[in-house]
Amino acid sequence: MSDSFIGFLKGFGYAAKGIVHCVKTQRNMRFHICAAVTVIFISRFYRLDRGEYALLAVIIAAVMAAEAVNTAVESAVDLVTAEKKPLAAAAKDCAAGAVLITAVGAAAAGIFLFGDIGVLGEIAEWFAAVPTRIAAGIVYIFICIYFIFGIKRS
């Protein structure tokens, strides 16, 4: 294999390391992961078409990518300056604002995709039909809470 191809493949490894770093160190990234898993699960009750699932995939990826870029900006700013400087604060605030804009857009799209609140009754009936589903749902909630808040990561 050529060196350029090996370098190309190594790039995927570096990207994976970056994603792992974000998950380990960023509570908001862990929240986005739990939210994405929940939304994907709930989407099965809404009978979305292929285009809507494609939109959902792009939205989830955009929010997580924005969070990764925010982490990169914060890390770079922290690396360059340890003291509080207005431009450093502005860079970090703008990066965080980009995540907020993306998340608000995702929430708006979610309202359009999942706006039929009648389906919530169908979801409740699905859980109530089998008691172990209720228990599994409660366990899932606690796992998400622990994943997001409970583990001290470095």
Side-chain angles (χ1 to χ4, degrees):
M1 281 192 241
S2 73
D3 287 342
S4 64
F5 184 69
I6 290 171
F8 173 75
L9 292 178
K10 282 183 178 181
F12 286 102
Y14 299 138
K17 278 177 60 176
I19 293 167
V20 168
H21 174 77
C22 285
V23 173
K24 281 183 171 182
T25 64
Q26 302 301 308
R27 179 187 62 236
N28 288 346
M29 180 63 94
R30 295 188 300 272
F31 171 81
H32 295 313
I33 290 169
C34 289
V37 169
T38 304
V39 165
I40 291 166
F41 172 76
I42 289 172
S43 71
R44 68 186 288 261
F45 293 96
Y46 283 85
R47 297 162 195 74
L48 302 179
D49 63 32
R50 290 170 57 128
E52 291 167 326
Y53 273 112
L55 176 64
L56 201 56
V58 169
I59 290 167
I60 290 169
V63 170
M64 290 186 182
E67 188 65 50
V69 169
N70 180 46
T71 301
V73 168
E74 287 181 351
S75 296
V77 168
D78 289 346
L79 180 67
V80 172
T81 179
E83 60 203 52
K84 300 224 180 214
K85 294 184 177 180
L87 287 177
K92 291 170 87 169
D93 291 348
C94 288
V99 177
L100 181 60
I101 291 167
T102 308
V104 168
I111 289 169
F112 289 113
L113 289 171
F114 303 115
D116 182 358
I117 59 171
V119 177
L120 294 177
E122 184 182 329
I123 294 169
E125 288 173 11
W126 183 84
F127 275 102
V130 180
T132 54
R133 290 180 185 159
I134 296 170
I138 292 168
V139 168
Y140 172 74
I141 290 167
F142 280 107
I143 288 171
C144 284
I145 291 169
Y146 182 72
F147 179 63
I148 296 167
F149 300 105
I151 302 173
K152 184 70 177 164
R153 291 160 175 86
S154 53

